């Protein structure tokens, strides 16, 4: 291209998704693109003949066309020591000359051939580009080198072809370049003023706008539950044990010599190491069921496994338990609108703490208490909850016992629930899914608490649901002990694993990830105790008390909230 020439479309590349073997898994992906000859019609959602394997992260109206520059291809050829590159090799639909990421702005509009386009966001950081290039670090490198590429929305459908001139017809609001927007999300040292500018760009895709709103809402403070009241585990003394029902006990815990315990937010949980129940000592998480301003913590435990049976049968007043600080983001948020507190079985504990807070504040809000239990003998906290509700001026109570009346999605319709409520739902996973869907359809803003393994996010991987967590196959490890607290599993580190994520995957512990290189932070996990080392260092460190498992290894015994 001569110095006076403008940007130009060099190649149109398409490819339909297919199954690809990767690290022993099958990945359904459309990352493999090849150039086409002649004109190709670009429609609102796609280039004709193209497709995406993961429609949650790629494709759709906001990400109809992926653009990458010849200059960036040449940059990576030199950086990676490759002999050559191919158009479409980075998964791009349009290979272009010009349009660098540090000059193109979100909201810029371009005419190419018969079609018109608008820049909506940078490329999504995704492991598949590393898969395609056999360079696993590529998602992080794209961000670090400020060369992500970008997506286009189709404003006017039409045919395009290699050789078409690219003409800018409008500038984006606030002149925020693709590289700047990408760094604002993924790199440290954010400019708050530019965050505000970013959410004021109408063309920016809704997902990126929401991410920036979340950053603004958090300000300089970490999210709820990130900064624990103390690091690791500390000894707390059992000061009381109370039988709440035929299957549930409550345990009161106090600091030594009456020292104050940090306030917990209503709905948070603590993690307990149950010494003596097995070797190594199992680690379990229990919601705090206590009210505000109490000098002790109260956990309530249903007898349903090894650790809980030990607590039910062996624990005595005066015993000491090792406890990690309160954490969790299933917490009662301030507001004035109606509330739905919905629980089943032992799921009552976090919403009971919320009810304690509301009663202490003498809240005037409309509050609905919906609780399901197997029968009256198994219904914990019946009198306690009833007394708290009786102290509130606008409270409603509905109890459902399975031997006479089950709490199901169908029975919600006749209760007269408010449609603009905030709902907190806790119980078995199937119960939360069923009730959560019904309440969402009813118009409620639904929050759920999951105490087992985290909901998986393994984009594009076939059969990702996996089995229940278990010891990994092959020779057992001899390294530090890695405890997955939510999964109830402790595994010795194996030298053949490159990250805590790989060890979790080998053990079928549910995980969440996208980039696998320390960029997207989808894998961020609370670190309950221990230390890790990063290989490689992430582009931005997680908040205190958290770890990126995709690029970290244990520096000693660790306990992960996973």
């Amino acid at each position: 291209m001569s110095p006076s020439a403008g940007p130009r479309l060099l190649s149109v590349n398409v490819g339909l998704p297919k199954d690809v073997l990767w690290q022993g898994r099958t990945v359904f992906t459309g990352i493999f693109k090849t150039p086409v000859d002649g004109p190709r019609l670009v429609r609102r959602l796609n280039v004709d003949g193209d497709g995406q394997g993961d429609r949650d992260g790629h494709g759709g109206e906001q990400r109809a066309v992926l653009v990458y520059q010849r200059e960036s291809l040449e940059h990576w050829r030199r950086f990676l020591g490759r002999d050559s590159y191919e158009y479409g090799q980075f998964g791009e639909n349009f290979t272009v000359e010009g349009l660098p990421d540090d000059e193109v702005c979100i909201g810029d509009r371009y005419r190419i051939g018969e079609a018109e386009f608008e820049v909506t966001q940078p490329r999504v950081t995704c492991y598949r580009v590393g898969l395609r290039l056999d360079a696993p670090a590529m998602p992080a490198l794209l961000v670090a080198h400020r060369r992500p590429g970008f997506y286009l929305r189709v404003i006017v459908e039409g045919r395009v072809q290699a050789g078409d001139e690219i003409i800018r017809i409008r500038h984006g609001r606030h002149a925020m370049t693709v590289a700047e927007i990408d760094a604002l999300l993924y790199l440290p040292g954010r400019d708050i003023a530019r965050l505000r500018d970013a959410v004021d760009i109408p063309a920016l895709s809704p997902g990126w706008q929401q991410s920036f709103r979340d950053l603004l809402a958090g300000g300089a403070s970490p999210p709820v539950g990130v900064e624990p009241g103390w690091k690791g585990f500390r000894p707390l003394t059992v000061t009381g044990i109370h039988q709440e029902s035929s299957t549930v006990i409550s345990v009161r815990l106090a600091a030594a010599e009456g020292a104050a315990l940090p306030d917990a937010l209503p709905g948070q949980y603590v993690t307990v190491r149950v010494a003596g129940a097995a070797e190594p000592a199992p680690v379990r998480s229990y919601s705090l069921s206590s009210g505000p301003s109490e000098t002790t913590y109260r956990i309530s435990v249903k007898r349903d496994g090894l650790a809980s049976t030990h607590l039910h049968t062996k624990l005595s007043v005066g015993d000491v338990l090792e406890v990690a600080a309160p954490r969790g983001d299933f917490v009662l948020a301030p507001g004035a609108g109606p509330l739905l507190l919905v629980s089943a079985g032992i799921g009552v504990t976090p919403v009971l703490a919320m009810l304690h807070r509301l009663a202490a504040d003498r809240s005037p809000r409309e509050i609905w208490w919906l609780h399901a239990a197997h029968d009256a003998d198994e219904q914990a906290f019946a009198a306690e909850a009833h007394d708290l509700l009786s102290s509130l001026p606008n409270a409603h109570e509905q109890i459902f016992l399975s031997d006479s009346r089950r709490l199901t999605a169908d029975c919600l319709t006749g209760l007269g629930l408010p449609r603009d409520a905030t709902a907190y739902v806790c119980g078995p996973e199937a119960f939360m899914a069923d009730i959560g869907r019904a309440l969402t359809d009813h118009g409620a803003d639904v929050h759920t608490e999951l105490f087992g393994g985290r909901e998986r996010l393994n984009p594009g991987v076939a059969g990702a649901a996996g089995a229940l967590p278990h010891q990994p196959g092959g020779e057992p490890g001899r390294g530090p002990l890695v405890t997955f607290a939510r999964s109830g599993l402790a595994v010795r580190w194996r030298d053949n694993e490159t990250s805590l994520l790989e060890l979790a995957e080998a053990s079928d512990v549910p995980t969440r990830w996208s980039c696998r290189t320390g960029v997207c932070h989808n894998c961020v996990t609370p670190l309950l105790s221990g230390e890790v080392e990063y290989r490689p260092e992430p582009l931005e460190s997680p908040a205190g008390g958290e770890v990126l498992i995709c690029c970290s290894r244990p520096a000693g015994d660790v306990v992960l909230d996973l």
Side-chain angles (χ1 to χ4, degrees):
M1 186 173 70
S2 66
S4 60
R8 190 166 298 275
L9 179 59
L10 298 179
S11 179
V12 179
N13 316 298
V14 301
L16 293 175
K18 60 183 179 180
D19 287 335
V20 177
L21 290 179
W22 171 75
Q23 295 186 2
R25 305 175 179 88
T26 299
V27 176
F28 187 59
T29 176
I31 189 69
F32 292 85
K33 312 289 187 191
T34 55
V36 297
D37 294 325
R40 188 58 62 110
L41 182 60
V42 182
R43 304 180 190 272
R44 185 175 64 87
L45 297 179
N46 230 330
V47 181
D48 272 4
D50 193 46
Q52 296 81 31
D54 172 22
R55 295 303 296 275
D56 289 334
H58 307 273
E61 183 176 355
Q62 300 294 326
R63 300 181 293 259
V65 177
L66 178 60
V67 177
Y68 211 50
Q69 308 88 356
R70 181 195 62 79
E71 294 83 357
S72 287
L73 294 177
E74 180 62 26
H75 169 84
W76 294 118
R77 185 192 66 78
R78 293 191 301 268
F79 182 85
L80 297 174
R82 305 289 172 90
D83 292 333
S84 62
Y85 56 81
E86 302 169 1
Y87 292 157
Q89 194 167 3
F90 278 68
E92 77 273 14
N93 300 114
F94 290 175
T95 310
V96 301
E97 193 159 35
L99 302 187
D101 291 329
D102 58 359
E103 292 183 13
V104 171
C105 295
I106 304 297
D108 282 357
R109 288 193 179 184
Y110 294 93
R111 181 179 297 115
I112 308 175
E114 299 174 349
E116 291 184 8
F117 304 90
E118 183 175 62
V119 180
T120 58
Q121 66 172 73
R123 173 201 296 266
V124 175
T125 55
C126 172
Y127 72 101
R128 294 176 186 85
V129 68
L131 176 159
R132 173 68 177 87
L133 297 166
D134 193 25
M138 279 309 301
L141 292 171
L142 290 171
V143 177
H145 288 229
R146 307 295 182 99
R147 293 178 178 270
F150 55 88
Y151 284 103
L152 298 173
R153 181 166 69 96
V154 179
I155 305 298
V156 176
E157 296 181 347
R159 285 179 287 272
V160 302
Q161 64 181 330
D164 282 343
E165 187 179 3
I166 302 174
I167 303 169
R168 184 167 60 187
I169 57 177
R170 196 177 81 175
H171 292 278
R173 183 184 294 180
H174 298 305
M176 297 192 72
T177 68
V178 169
E180 181 182 8
I181 285 283
D182 199 54
L184 200 60
L185 183 62
Y186 292 125
L187 296 178
R190 296 178 181 88
D191 184 328
I192 298 299
R194 292 304 267 170
L195 277 176
R196 295 192 181 98
D197 287 341
V199 300
D200 189 46
I201 302 175
L204 184 63
S205 66
W208 280 63
Q209 285 194 15
Q210 186 58 52
S211 295
F212 290 138
R213 288 193 188 99
D214 291 343
L215 287 169
L216 284 170
S221 302
V224 169
V226 168
E227 289 289 354
W230 61 84
K231 187 175 181 180
F233 289 82
R234 67 181 287 187
L236 297 181
T237 302
V238 177
T239 60
I241 302 173
H242 181 70
Q243 194 78 36
E244 304 289 359
S245 74
S246 60
T247 57
V248 176
I249 62 169
S250 284
V251 179
R252 287 280 179 181
L253 300 167
E257 299 178 355
L261 289 170
D263 289 336
L265 296 172
Q268 288 189 309
Y269 61 90
V270 294
T271 302
V272 180
R273 182 179 281 133
V274 187
E279 185 57 42
V283 175
R284 298 291 186 270
S285 294
Y286 301 107
S287 286
L288 292 169
S289 56
S290 42
S293 304
E294 296 188 24
T295 58
T296 60
Y297 290 157
R298 180 177 70 171
I299 60 172
S300 300
V301 181
K302 180 180 179 180
R303 183 172 179 175
D304 63 359
L306 181 71
S308 61
T309 296
H310 181 87
L311 294 176
H312 272 251
T313 60
K314 303 297 184 181
L315 194 67
S316 301
V317 172
D319 287 348
V320 173
L321 293 175
E322 289 185 275
V323 182
R327 66 183 69 230
D329 54 11
F330 181 73
V331 296
L332 180 65
L339 283 172
L340 308 179
L341 304 179
V342 188
S343 56
I346 196 60
V348 68
T349 51
V351 294
L352 181 65
M354 297 178 187
L355 185 59
H356 269 286
R357 167 62 70 184
L358 294 165
D361 293 343
R362 299 183 180 180
S363 174
R365 301 173 72 172
E366 182 181 1
I367 299 165
W368 286 77
W369 176 264
L370 310 179
H371 178 64
H374 183 267
D375 53 41
D377 287 340
E378 290 192 14
Q379 183 190 353
F381 308 109
E384 182 176 330
H386 181 76
D387 289 345
L388 292 170
L389 291 161
S390 298
S391 71
L392 292 163
N394 199 11
H396 309 264
E397 181 178 10
Q398 293 282 338
I399 303 300
F400 300 80
L401 302 179
S402 297
D403 56 3
S404 59
R405 182 189 181 202
R406 295 179 62 86
L407 175 53
T408 64
D410 290 339
C411 75
L412 295 175
T413 56
L415 296 179
L417 300 176
R419 291 189 176 274
D420 57 346
T422 300
Y424 296 90
V425 184
C426 188
E429 189 170 352
F431 170 84
M432 289 193 295
D434 185 38
I435 298 298
R437 279 193 300 267
L439 291 176
T440 298
D441 292 343
H442 188 70
D445 177 22
V446 178
H447 304 264
T448 58
E449 174 70 303
L450 182 64
F451 277 106
R454 306 168 70 193
E455 184 180 0
R456 295 177 189 266
L457 175 64
N458 308 151
V461 178
L468 294 174
H470 57 82
Q471 291 291 328
E475 288 293 322
R478 298 182 179 181
L481 188 67
V482 179
T483 300
F484 302 105
R486 285 179 180 259
S487 300
L489 183 69
V491 180
R492 287 287 174 186
W493 176 256
R494 307 187 302 183
D495 288 338
N496 62 321
E497 310 291 356
T498 61
S499 67
L500 286 164
L501 172 59
E502 284 198 0
L503 181 64
E505 290 175 329
S507 307
D508 276 317
V509 171
T511 56
R512 298 178 61 82
W513 50 265
S514 181
C515 74
R516 302 180 72 96
T517 56
V519 180
C520 70
H521 284 221
N522 279 327
C523 74
V524 68
T525 301
L527 178 65
L528 304 185
S529 71
E531 301 289 340
V532 301
E533 55 187 28
Y534 283 107
R535 299 181 188 175
E537 286 289 331
L539 297 182
E540 180 178 20
S541 297
E546 294 184 330
V547 59
L548 300 179
I549 62 171
C550 74
C551 55
S552 61
R553 302 159 58 95
D557 291 353
V558 297
V559 179
L560 299 168
D561 191 22
L562 193 65

